[in-house]
Amino acid sequence: MSLFQLNDEGVLHIHGHLDRDTLAKNWWGMLSSTEQSTLIAKGQCVLDLSDVERIDSAGLAWLINAVRDGKRSQVEVTLANVPDKLLKLAKISDVDTLLPVN
């Protein structure tokens, strides 16, 4: 199974681990050109974290960069079903205000 799957509503379901071992490049670069076009047409994307098993500081940075990269492509990125551990990590790291949580 891939790290994530995009559905027709612009929801990106993320699976497994978001850590330094699984995140080779930014999320936008991991999407196909068709998926990128779909998100640009919608103007928004929800990153659904309900199936994330583990996340570390690299995963947190990846999510912050996803929000930034979305803005660059005129796509509003929000996070849904955010694990409590991620919220705590973001708060301790003083970056919780950078995460647009639904």
Side-chain angles (χ1 to χ4, degrees):
M1 176 186 277
S2 70
L3 180 60
F4 51 74
Q5 294 172 307
L6 180 65
N7 71 17
D8 293 338
E9 283 83 44
V11 177
L12 194 72
H13 295 278
I14 301 175
H15 311 280
H17 299 186
L18 284 179
D19 58 26
R20 64 183 174 91
D21 296 326
T22 61
L23 300 170
K25 56 183 175 178
N26 69 44
W27 77 289
W28 195 254
M30 296 170 79
L31 297 172
S32 70
S33 59
T34 303
E35 290 170 326
Q36 290 176 3
S37 296
T38 298
L39 293 177
I40 291 170
K42 290 200 167 298
Q44 62 184 12
C45 178
V46 176
L47 302 182
D48 182 353
L49 305 174
S50 60
D51 289 333
V52 171
E53 297 170 12
R54 194 179 111 218
I55 189 164
D56 65 8
S57 57
L60 174 59
W62 187 84
L63 290 169
I64 292 168
N65 289 336
V67 173
R68 179 204 63 204
D69 294 343
K71 285 181 185 175
R72 287 182 181 165
S73 299
Q74 324 283 277
V75 176
E76 179 186 358
V77 176
T78 56
L79 308 178
N81 303 309
V82 180
D84 287 338
K85 288 183 180 183
L86 172 59
L87 293 174
K88 289 176 185 174
L89 176 61
K91 187 150 182 73
I92 319 175
S93 303
D94 200 27
V95 295
D96 53 319
T97 58
L98 300 177
L99 297 177
V101 178
N102 276 347

